[in-house]
Amino acid sequence: MIILFLGVMSASVAHAESYKFVTKWGSYGNGAGQFHYPRAIVATSSGYIYVADSGNNRVQEFNSNGKFINQWSSTNDVSLGSVNGVAIDSSGDVYVADTNNRIVKFDKNGNFITKFGSYGSGNVQFKNARDICLDSSGNIYVADTGNNRIQKLDNNGNYLVQWGSYGSSNGQFKNPIDVALDSLDNVYVADKDNHCIKKFDSNGNYLMQFGNSGNGDGQFNNIISVFVDSSGNIYVSDRGNTRIQKFDSDGNYLTHWGSYGTNDGQFKNPEDIGVDSSGNVYVADADNNRIQKFAPVYPPVTNFVSNVTTGYAPLAVKFTDTSTGTPFSWTWNFGDGTFSTVKNPTHTYSKAGKYTVKLTATNEGGNSTAAKTNYITVKTTTVKPVAIFSASPTSGKAPLKVTFTDKSTGSPTKWKWNFGDGSKSFLQNPSHKYSKAGKYTVSLTVKNDKGSNTVTKTNYLTVVAKPVAAFSASPTSGKAPLKVTFTDKSTGSPTKWKWNFGDGTTSAKQNPIHKYSKAGKYKVTLTVANAAGINTVTKTNYITVIAKPAAAFSASPTSGKAPLKVTFSDKSTGTPTKWKWTFGDGSKSFLQNPTHKYSKAGKYKVILTVTNTAGSNTVTKTNYITVVAKPVAAFSASPTSGKAPLKVTFSDKSTGTPTKWKWNFGDGATSIKQNPVHKYSNVGSYTVKLTVTNAAGSNTKTISNYIILKSK
């Protein structure tokens, strides 16, 4: 069964990009060849498979087809916990990482040799020693998952070096769950919760990483193991996505296979991967309590032969597929525009010529193509030739390189080209460069021993230079609505025009007429184009459209004490060209934005009249400017005498336009009203004081003994 087919592979590709199911073994139990959650797997170069049978606290050995051979478990010297990882050295000794946070070493016959490690964070201490592997010198690398580090020990368990801490930086980990080595002893770590594979040298120096969280190609969800084969290909058990992914030595994605389930090629928690020297992949399918074996499938090596390779038209050729790799489909390209999917087709060539033949063969591993250039030569009897040709391109910007192709019939033996610019060629299919813009007539004369023939194509080639945009308009100013005629003056033979009239409208005509409806100054842009390129010219404020103006203005300040300097600002619309200001004090100005000084207090009416060629308009603002002087306080009261209690009405008589008032009634009471009413309760004489204020200053008036209250 084929698990996956991806992409097109040439015959030279070395990596398999698909895998097929070969066999499986195992079931739930504790007998020989049965498993209780197989967690780790090792495939040795001698063809033996070692499985960490975690729940049964043992390691089992099989041949490459799943036949049980041996097992390692607890002895009188050591009691194994659940087995997390297993490694085999060159002598056949077996190293086991178990849940007792230690490494246990057995010889190849199952005899206990030594053990080392304990729970903790010190050297040769572990918090969940999740996996182990051995380098070419026999040094041991331990995925110390709970401590978020890798420890390196010698083969006797002596500490050498460590690296890693909790985090997401280059040299940090979040649950390093598995460790593997390549042939150069570079270290690969499955960084589970960072969703990536990290690569280090044998001393822990960071080299590179790849992968991130997700379910796409090259992404991971709950990485559980990593393995590197002898060619440097990297295999990752992507447990959360229930698949195996394969990468090249640089971390570039190659392929994947697997899905969730119990069928062949499906997984339930694929815990670990082993690869033998033939490239077969072994997967510890933990929750299915089995081992599955997959074999790489390579594309075919495509080749073919034919019964004849030369002859006269019509020529029947029988093609024979000689490809290796057991292809099951074929696509032939006979080089004359025809195709076939028959394995061994016969094809008839009708016309003289040399034909390149291609065959693409496909098998379950992919496809590859073999091409034989000018493989079939078809000849014809000699007749007087008929000149025919084509060229590409036939137009473009200078300098223009043109390839000419002879299409003549009758098998000419000589060719004479005249390119129209004084140049010639005697090649069959020449290339020629035209340096100057223009239209060129091309002729071809062909000859053989039966005679000659000439074909001429007038103005066949057009060579253009980049255009230069230019234009004029008439009129360029006037009152709305204004109809303007635009005239293209561009050089360089443009073929396309785009006008932008500055009012939101455009045109693609060469010489458009446009009507402007609103007053304003308009920027006009013309872009011209031909095959050689484009060019743009812009004329800012080129068109002036005027309407009768509408007068408007502002001033600052509009009030204050004398003398008051006021700046007037024209806010008129419609583009006036003349201004006339009347300031209300007998003064005038013809500036657009004048400044005027008011010397005397008062309220002033301001008038602005604006004018352009379309007419005039006036705006008047009455009492717009208020100029104040310092006030003079004065007041009266009624009555000024009487029996207690006495209600008195006070009247402000001040001059100078005060804006604030403060009364003191002489009995301790005050008011800020302009004309207050006050009630006196006690017999006596009262002095009244009024202070008035405006922007120019303040003044006080005092009348002594002004209010007199008598007894009843």
Side-chain angles (χ1 to χ4, degrees):
M1 179 180 71
I2 293 299
I3 304 304
L4 181 68
F5 171 75
L6 293 174
V8 176
M9 296 177 61
S10 69
S12 62
V13 174
H15 300 297
E17 290 192 8
S18 62
Y19 285 80
K20 65 179 180 179
F21 173 82
V22 177
T23 188
K24 63 185 176 184
W25 68 89
S27 62
Y28 180 78
N30 56 15
Q34 292 184 309
F35 303 111
H36 182 183
Y37 205 89
R39 187 181 293 277
I41 189 166
V42 174
T44 67
S45 59
S46 54
Y48 294 102
I49 312 301
Y50 294 80
V51 180
D53 187 7
S54 178
N56 287 320
N57 303 337
R58 65 183 177 180
V59 175
Q60 296 192 67
E61 179 186 8
F62 303 88
N63 70 10
S64 61
N65 292 317
K67 181 180 178 181
F68 175 79
I69 297 175
N70 198 0
Q71 71 175 12
W72 288 258
S73 59
S74 299
T75 69
N76 293 331
D77 299 303
V78 65
S79 176
L80 288 180
S82 296
V83 179
N84 285 336
V86 61
I88 314 299
D89 68 15
S90 59
S91 300
D93 293 337
V94 179
Y95 297 76
V96 177
D98 72 359
T99 53
N100 292 317
N101 291 291
R102 64 186 178 182
I103 309 300
V104 182
K105 181 178 179 180
F106 300 89
D107 68 16
K108 62 183 178 180
N109 297 315
N111 298 310
F112 171 76
I113 297 176
T114 187
K115 62 182 178 181
F116 42 86
S118 61
Y119 180 82
S121 301
N123 297 338
V124 201
Q125 289 187 316
F126 311 111
K127 289 183 179 179
N128 188 9
R130 190 61 175 78
D131 192 41
I132 55 174
C133 62
L134 307 177
D135 67 14
S136 58
S137 300
N139 297 312
I140 306 167
Y141 297 78
V142 183
D144 186 5
T145 303
N147 285 317
N148 290 291
R149 64 183 179 181
I150 302 299
Q151 289 199 65
K152 178 179 177 181
L153 316 175
D154 67 18
N155 60 1
N156 293 314
N158 297 309
Y159 173 83
L160 295 176
V161 72
Q162 63 173 290
W163 66 91
S165 61
Y166 182 80
S168 301
S169 298
N170 291 341
Q172 294 183 311
F173 306 112
K174 288 183 179 179
N175 287 328
I177 199 73
D178 198 28
V179 62
L181 298 172
D182 63 18
S183 59
L184 299 176
D185 289 340
N186 293 310
V187 183
Y188 298 75
V189 179
D191 192 358
K192 178 176 175 289
D193 291 333
N194 280 320
H195 308 288
C196 65
I197 302 299
K198 292 182 176 178
K199 179 180 178 181
F200 304 85
D201 67 17
S202 59
N203 292 314
N205 296 306
Y206 173 84
L207 299 176
M208 59 90 95
Q209 70 183 59
F210 61 91
N212 54 59
S213 178
N215 57 14
D217 295 341
Q219 295 183 312
F220 305 116
N221 178 11
N222 195 5
I223 297 175
I224 202 65
S225 67
V226 61
F227 182 82
V228 185
D229 68 17
S230 58
S231 299
N233 298 309
I234 304 164
Y235 302 77
V236 179
S237 178
D238 185 9
R239 185 170 68 177
N241 289 317
T242 320
R243 63 184 178 180
I244 306 301
Q245 293 200 67
K246 181 180 178 181
F247 303 84
D248 66 16
S249 58
D250 295 320
N252 298 308
Y253 170 84
L254 296 177
T255 189
H256 74 263
W257 69 94
S259 61
Y260 183 83
T262 59
N263 294 329
D264 296 344
Q266 293 184 315
F267 308 116
K268 286 185 177 181
N269 283 341
E271 280 280 343
D272 200 17
I273 312 155
V275 181
D276 65 20
S277 57
S278 298
N280 296 306
V281 178
Y282 301 82
V283 179
D285 188 5
D287 278 341
N288 282 321
N289 290 292
R290 65 184 180 182
I291 304 301
Q292 292 196 68
K293 178 180 178 180
F294 302 88
V297 182
Y298 296 94
V301 177
T302 303
N303 201 0
F304 63 89
V305 296
S306 65
N307 62 331
V308 295
T309 59
T310 186
Y312 290 94
L315 178 66
V317 181
K318 181 178 181 180
F319 294 94
T320 301
D321 170 47
T322 59
S323 306
T324 59
T326 318
F328 54 69
S329 71
W330 302 263
T331 299
W332 295 85
N333 183 333
F334 299 119
D336 61 352
T338 58
F339 302 85
S340 176
T341 57
V342 176
K343 179 180 181 181
N344 298 308
T346 297
H347 179 65
T348 299
Y349 291 90
S350 302
K351 296 181 179 180
K354 292 182 179 291
Y355 297 94
T356 295
V357 181
K358 297 179 182 179
L359 170 61
T360 299
T362 303
N363 66 9
E364 58 190 9
N367 59 41
S368 66
T369 299
K372 296 187 179 182
T373 303
N374 296 330
Y375 184 56
I376 302 297
T377 300
V378 181
K379 298 179 288 185
T380 186
T381 56
T382 303
V383 295
K384 180 180 176 180
V386 176
I388 306 170
F389 71 89
S390 65
S392 181
T394 57
S395 64
K397 63 181 180 180
L400 181 66
K401 186 176 182 181
V402 180
T403 299
F404 293 89
T405 303
D406 172 42
K407 304 260 187 192
S408 305
T409 60
S411 302
T413 56
K414 293 182 180 181
W415 299 264
K416 181 180 179 181
W417 297 84
N418 187 323
F419 298 121
D421 62 351
S423 301
K424 295 180 174 59
S425 175
F426 299 94
L427 299 176
Q428 182 180 6
N429 298 302
S431 292
H432 181 64
K433 183 169 72 174
Y434 290 87
S435 301
K436 296 181 180 180
K439 292 184 179 291
Y440 295 92
T441 296
V442 181
S443 64
L444 168 63
T445 299
V446 292
K447 292 183 180 180
N448 63 15
D449 55 5
K450 295 293 185 179
S452 64
N453 184 252
T454 299
V455 61
T456 299
K457 295 187 179 184
T458 303
N459 294 332
Y460 183 52
L461 298 178
T462 300
V463 183
V464 295
K466 182 178 177 181
V468 177
F471 68 90
S472 64
S474 179
T476 57
S477 65
K479 64 181 180 180
L482 182 65
K483 182 182 286 188
V484 180
T485 299
F486 292 92
T487 303
D488 173 42
K489 301 286 188 178
S490 305
T491 59
S493 304
T495 56
K496 293 182 180 180
W497 298 264
K498 183 176 180 181
W499 297 83
N500 187 322
F501 300 118
D503 60 353
T505 58
T506 61
S507 175
K509 293 182 178 180
Q510 182 178 6
N511 299 302
I513 297 174
H514 181 63
K515 182 171 72 173
Y516 290 90
S517 301
K518 295 181 180 180
K521 291 183 179 292
Y522 295 94
K523 176 175 70 176
V524 181
T525 301
L526 170 61
T527 299
V528 292
N530 63 17
I534 63 175
N535 185 250
T536 298
V537 62
T538 299
K539 296 186 179 184
T540 302
N541 296 330
Y542 184 53
I543 304 298
T544 301
V545 181
I546 58 176
K548 181 179 176 179
F553 68 90
S554 65
S556 179
T558 57
S559 65
K561 65 181 180 179
L564 181 65
K565 187 176 184 180
V566 180
T567 298
F568 292 89
S569 298
D570 173 40
K571 303 289 186 178
S572 305
T573 59
T575 317
T577 56
K578 294 181 180 180
W579 297 264
K580 180 180 179 181
W581 297 85
T582 300
F583 298 119
D585 62 351
S587 299
K588 294 180 174 61
S589 176
F590 298 95
L591 298 177
Q592 183 178 6
N593 298 300
T595 298
H596 181 65
K597 184 169 71 174
Y598 289 90
S599 302
K600 296 180 180 180
K603 292 184 180 290
Y604 295 94
K605 176 172 68 176
V606 180
I607 301 171
L608 170 61
T609 299
V610 291
T611 305
N612 64 16
T613 57
S616 64
N617 185 252
T618 299
V619 62
T620 300
K621 295 188 179 183
T622 303
N623 295 331
Y624 185 53
I625 304 298
T626 301
V627 182
V628 295
K630 182 177 178 182
V632 177
F635 64 89
S636 64
S638 178
T640 58
S641 64
K643 296 179 180 181
L646 181 65
K647 184 182 287 187
V648 180
T649 298
F650 292 91
S651 299
D652 173 41
K653 302 291 185 177
S654 305
T655 59
T657 317
T659 56
K660 293 181 180 180
W661 299 264
K662 183 176 180 182
W663 298 85
N664 189 321
F665 300 118
D667 61 352
T670 61
S671 175
I672 58 173
K673 293 182 178 181
Q674 182 178 4
N675 299 300
V677 177
H678 180 62
K679 184 171 74 175
Y680 289 89
S681 301
N682 299 317
V683 174
S685 296
Y686 296 93
T687 296
V688 180
K689 182 190 296 185
L690 170 62
T691 299
V692 291
T693 304
N694 65 14
S698 63
N699 184 252
T700 301
K701 172 72 172 180
T702 302
I703 303 178
S704 300
N705 298 320
Y706 186 47
I707 304 299
I708 300 173
L709 269 69
K710 304 173 183 178
S711 61
K712 297 181 180 179

